[in-house]
Amino acid sequence: MASSPFPDDWQRALVVAAHPDDIEYGAAAAVAVWTAAGKEVHYLLATRGEAGIAGLSPAEAGPLREEEERRSAAVVGVAEVEFLDHRDGVLEPGLPLRRDLAAAIRRHRPDLVVTMYGGDTWTPPEVTPGALNSPDHRALTRSVLDAVADAGNEWIFPDLGETPWSGVQYIAVHAGQPRHVVDVSAVVEVAVASLTEHRRYLAALSDDPVEEQARRQIDMATLTEDGGREVGFGLYWG
Ligand SMILES: [Zn+2]
């Protein structure tokens, strides 16, 4: 598959996802490469993923998953993780979400905004039946793409009390097309360790040891046909 290298002419990134764990299924490997190179990366989560663990109430799961996300972030060199207070499972791609995202982009003033895959299915259209992507993921990605423009326009959400920010050079969508790749071969173990921090979440998904699950997922997300390791992003101008 044709691909280009991911651009390097940026310094500050804001990585935006719907749930704790979303970033760790591949994108965090690229984050590890970036922070090791001295770039500054912050995370922004729209929800606390409180509806994500079967058998555990949202009141218990929310704080637990927030803590797991902070640990995961720390493993790849990200010290700042911010949570918006949207409800897990019922995220809507509307103005309230765009408003909160635009406010965060104005506050963080990133050169690069990274978000997660928001297509309807995880499988190519010719594969049927396809595996559906979650409504939260679709809502989040669409809203992030819109909020970058909102953040730069002084007449949109003028009452936020933040200076408009139109300095976003690139928007990157994890697993999007066409691929712009980051070589992550040097940070595979870091990426596995980062996903492994979602211990309680992973333990609820399978009886397999959490580190084994994490390794399998990182292999799926990063291994190339020739045995290399890379993470790909679709890229837009900000
Ligand atoms: Zn998710």
Side-chain angles (χ1 to χ4, degrees):
M1 191 186 307
S3 61
S4 329
F6 196 90
D8 191 46
D9 56 343
W10 57 273
Q11 179 57 30
R12 241 182 358 260
L14 181 65
V15 182
V16 191
H19 314 117
D21 82 78
D22 292 350
I23 300 169
E24 285 68 43
Y25 284 89
V31 172
V33 169
W34 294 333
T35 56
K39 296 186 187 293
E40 190 185 329
V41 182
H42 294 170
Y43 284 180
L44 176 68
L45 283 289
T47 82
R48 290 183 168 75
E50 70 272 10
I53 300 182
L56 195 66
S57 75
E60 291 171 279
L64 185 149
R65 301 206 67 202
E66 179 177 338
E67 183 55 31
E68 288 189 340
E69 182 60 31
R70 291 187 191 283
R71 290 177 193 275
S72 294
V75 170
V76 295
V78 175
E80 192 180 318
V81 184
E82 183 182 344
F83 290 84
L84 301 174
D85 266 323
H86 288 259
R87 299 274 69 80
D88 182 16
V90 290
L91 205 56
E92 290 184 307
L95 293 178
L97 180 56
R98 270 169 60 180
R99 180 186 165 84
D100 288 348
L101 293 168
I105 292 166
R106 287 179 185 178
R107 269 197 311 281
H108 287 273
R109 304 168 77 82
D111 313 311
L112 165 68
V113 170
V114 180
T115 192
M116 303 298 115
Y117 178 72
D120 286 346
T121 67
W122 292 110
T123 39
E126 63 272 19
V127 177
T128 57
L132 280 172
N133 199 353
S134 96
D136 281 7
H137 295 168
R138 286 186 267 127
L140 188 276
T141 304
R142 168 61 55 196
S143 302
V144 170
L145 298 179
D146 293 341
V148 171
D150 298 341
N153 186 328
E154 64 184 303
W155 307 117
I156 299 177
F157 308 131
D159 56 328
L160 283 173
E162 307 279 352
T163 307
W165 176 249
S166 52
V168 176
Q169 290 170 252
Y170 305 108
I171 309 169
V173 178
H174 179 231
Q177 293 290 340
R179 274 168 75 79
H180 291 72
V181 299
V182 179
D183 181 338
V184 299
S185 48
V187 296
V188 171
E189 293 308 313
V190 181
V192 171
S194 179
L195 180 53
T196 300
E197 290 296 347
H198 291 282
R199 292 175 191 283
R200 184 68 177 78
Y201 175 73
L202 291 171
L205 292 182
S206 159
D207 290 334
D208 295 342
V210 293
E211 196 187 331
E212 207 174 280
Q213 289 187 54
R215 190 169 299 281
R216 202 158 55 223
Q217 292 293 339
I218 295 301
D219 283 350
M220 270 199 299
T222 64
L223 262 176
T224 63
E225 281 173 13
D226 60 2
R229 295 278 191 168
E230 64 184 29
V231 174
F233 297 86
L235 210 58
Y236 304 92
W237 298 116

